[in-house]
Amino acid sequence: MRYRVTVLTGVLVAFLTACGGDSGGSTGPTEGLLEIIVATTGADLDPDGYVLSVDNGAHQPLPTNGADTVASLSPGTHTVTLTGVASNCVPGGKNPRSVDIAAASTTTLRLDVACSALLAAISVGATTTGDDVDPDGYDVTIDGGTPQPLTINGSVLISGLTPGGHEIGLSGVADNCVIDGPNPRTVAAPSGRTATAAFSVSCSPLPLAAPGYDIAFSGLDSVVGNTEVYLLSADGTTLTNLTNNPSGDIGAAWSPDGHTIAFCSRRTGTTQVYVMNPDGSGQTQLTSGPFSCSPSWSPDGTKIAFSRATGSFTEQIFLMNPDGSALTQLTSFPGGAAGPVWSPDGTRMAFTGGGSFETDIYVMNADGSDVTRLTTSPGIDVVSAWSPDGTKIAFNSDRSGNESRHMYVMNADGTAVAQLTFGTDPALGPVWSPDGSKIGFTTGARAYMMNPDGTERVRLTASWQLVGSPAWRP
């Protein structure tokens, strides 16, 4: 629609002057008129019109389509600026632009504006309930396009969509989880607004798997409220409480022959290293004095390496015989050294070095010499296990940046770091099975195992407050 509004005041005054209305004579009009014609095309036109200013002067409203006149402009070149244009509309030509005004005449300036349909957006959300929820989240696709990640209880905004119906699909859902309602589903996205697509996912408990070897682990006894060491049979059918001590027992490390378990206990008031038989009998204290824990057997079974407090907030690595004799300090590492792990050939140890909030993984000779740093990422890296063939080192790290610690593997020289677990739940471990075919770990208060590349995750224990990693019997 086009309409025309003419402001005549200036013209009338000029006409009277030219006809001798002034007794002193006339020299003719000295001002001209500027007529603005606005033509807006397209879809979703700007609903409140525009704003015009001349020479950065006072603002004057303009209609979306129509005409208006600016009066009393002196002859010469003036600058016209159009503002107040909606984000989906674009003025044609230059803006600002120059216009020449002639005296005693009307100059017409046409301003074209093209508008496109307002884009839409869809907020896709997921709510996940049940047991053994998908640990690495889902993928969202719209109209079969590129997948976008979606956490199991979160949302993602997909913007820049044309208004109308769009097909939203959820994929990457674990086999034990079911999406309620249609998938994919069509969602209507109104012009200039955000629609919502809410997916509900319910998960069922995964069946337990047999670990293939006996595994020892420490867990929180919900009845008495302290940690104990347990043994799960190789077929996954029998769970045995091995320690049963009210002070709290943690950790489990098998001797190479599978006949002895080293663990840590506070039963004397300070955490110390103990050993016991696989049935829980013969529990014997090996260390005394300052805090001592994280026992690790040498591959030949002749030594136990462990962490021992040497100050208020520091630990160092010590070595002893399996009966607790011949105590030897191996490290005097700045910031502390803890968690020793033997290489399969017994020639080296990996350990965690550094302070409380910044640790890295190092290796050294079995006598404590030739220390080499393997990781350099900011944050916490904690060594966990050496692969049975000696080519890989598994560790735990918060380097992913989501405040959850996850599992990684790298070559024994620190190269080719690969992340194995993802999601919001921390995953602790990992440790290799004796044949190297599986990696065991703890997440969501349960023990799991998976392939060394992180695939085919299966659950080993029911709901249980595990502390630390499961340890396979050699």
Side-chain angles (χ1 to χ4, degrees), residues 166-169 179-187 197-200:
H166 293 274
E167 186 177 79
I168 307 296
I179 301 172
D180 299 331
N183 181 47
R185 63 188 62 174
T186 299
V187 177
F199 288 88
S200 295

Side-chain angles (χ1 to χ4, degrees), residues 41-48 84-90 114-122 158-166 188-195:
T41 58
D44 291 322
L45 308 189
D46 197 319
D48 56 1
V85 182
S87 60
N88 65 308
C89 301
V90 179
C115 297
S116 58
L118 285 168
L119 297 178
I122 299 177
I158 303 174
S159 57
L161 304 176
T162 57
H166 293 274
S191 176
R193 297 172 58 187
T194 299

Side-chain angles (χ1 to χ4, degrees), residues 270-308:
T270 304
T271 300
Q272 300 296 333
V273 178
Y274 290 73
V275 290
M276 63 181 169
N277 298 323
D279 62 0
S281 64
Q283 296 181 21
T284 304
Q285 182 176 349
L286 298 185
T287 63
S288 60
F291 170 95
S292 299
C293 199
S294 303
S296 176
W297 294 81
S298 64
D300 61 6
T302 62
K303 297 291 181 181
I304 297 177
F306 64 99
S307 305
R308 184 180 180 92

Side-chain angles (χ1 to χ4, degrees), residues 148-207:
Q148 298 188 43
L150 174 65
T151 58
I152 61 173
N153 287 293
S155 63
V156 60
L157 181 66
I158 303 174
S159 57
L161 304 176
T162 57
H166 293 274
E167 186 177 79
I168 307 296
L170 199 65
S171 59
V173 181
D175 293 339
N176 64 307
C177 301
V178 177
I179 301 172
D180 299 331
N183 181 47
R185 63 188 62 174
T186 299
V187 177
S191 176
R193 297 172 58 187
T194 299
T196 300
F199 288 88
S200 295
V201 182
S202 55
C203 300
S204 302
L206 288 167

